[in-house]
Amino acid sequence: MIATFVWILVALVAVGLYLSWTAGRLDRLHARIDAARAALDAQLLRRASVAQELATSGVLDPAASIVLYEAAHAARQSEEDQREVAESELSQALRAVFAEADQVEAVREAPGGEAAARELTEAVRRVPMARRFHNDAVGAARRLREHRKVRWFRLAGHAPFPLAFEMDDEPPAALVDRAA
């Protein structure tokens, strides 16, 4: 009788340790999502700021400046529920403005244009990487949260279900080709 009680106690402790380890893992994944989201927000803000600065610098033609400024301003001022759409529109505006290599060369030839073009190139390259890191963390947390043990024992607590950040982040070909 005592041996049975000891084995039951050992089994309960083992299950408790396993559930505790799983809850800790889930907590670390949620922290990773928060850090990745902060990095993504920083990269999106940097891209919008650089685009807005370039639009107001006078090195672009007036029509391109207006298109780029309005898209960058909308991306910076958008509410959280409209953020993906606004950022996608900024990506489309960047591709429209820098569709031709001639436009990139015109920016580079302007005073201070080389640094501005380099900064914009770096910004548009970092956004897809930051988004990929965020979405990978979200995917890992979602896969773990789908397990029965996580749902049955409510190991996720009151944390909201993680959502991926879906946007058009294709960089302008003329910027990427020139830098490569």
Side-chain angles (χ1 to χ4, degrees):
M1 168 98 164
I2 300 248
T4 305
F5 180 71
V6 169
W7 281 112
I8 291 172
L9 187 61
V10 167
L12 286 175
V13 167
V15 168
L17 286 173
Y18 178 70
L19 290 175
S20 175
W21 176 81
T22 303
R25 181 172 167 228
L26 190 57
D27 186 51
R28 288 188 301 275
L29 283 172
H30 281 264
R32 191 172 121 200
I33 289 170
D34 291 343
R37 181 58 187 242
L40 175 61
D41 287 341
Q43 291 306 321
L44 291 171
L45 180 62
R46 181 172 182 244
R47 180 181 75 153
S49 297
V50 170
Q52 204 169 19
E53 184 179 315
L54 188 61
T56 58
S57 68
V59 297
L60 298 173
D61 63 87
S65 292
I66 290 171
V67 167
L68 195 56
Y69 181 83
E70 287 180 354
H73 181 71
R76 290 183 71 179
Q77 301 298 320
S78 64
E79 295 293 325
E80 192 60 36
D81 60 338
Q82 294 295 315
R83 183 102 187 260
E84 294 172 350
V85 173
E87 294 294 346
S88 294
E89 289 173 355
L90 177 56
S91 295
Q92 293 166 359
L94 284 166
R95 281 197 307 271
V97 169
F98 295 106
E100 302 294 326
D102 298 339
Q103 184 73 349
V104 177
E105 289 304 318
V107 169
R108 289 183 190 279
E109 291 170 2
E114 185 69 36
R118 184 175 38 255
E119 192 173 356
L120 182 62
T121 301
E122 290 173 7
V124 299
R125 283 184 167 198
R126 288 181 180 167
V127 167
M129 288 187 290
R131 190 175 74 86
R132 195 172 317 120
F133 289 142
H134 175 266
N135 288 350
D136 287 348
V138 166
R142 282 179 149 189
R143 284 188 296 277
L144 184 58
R145 286 182 69 153
E146 289 172 356
H147 289 194
R148 272 182 264 159
K149 66 181 176 249
V150 173
R151 290 192 319 263
W152 287 352
F153 292 101
R154 299 180 187 261
L155 298 180
H158 297 289
F161 196 74
L163 299 174
F165 193 87
E166 296 300 331
M167 65 172 269
D168 175 7
D169 60 3
E170 180 79 25
L175 279 176
V176 175
D177 291 344
R178 171 85 161 114

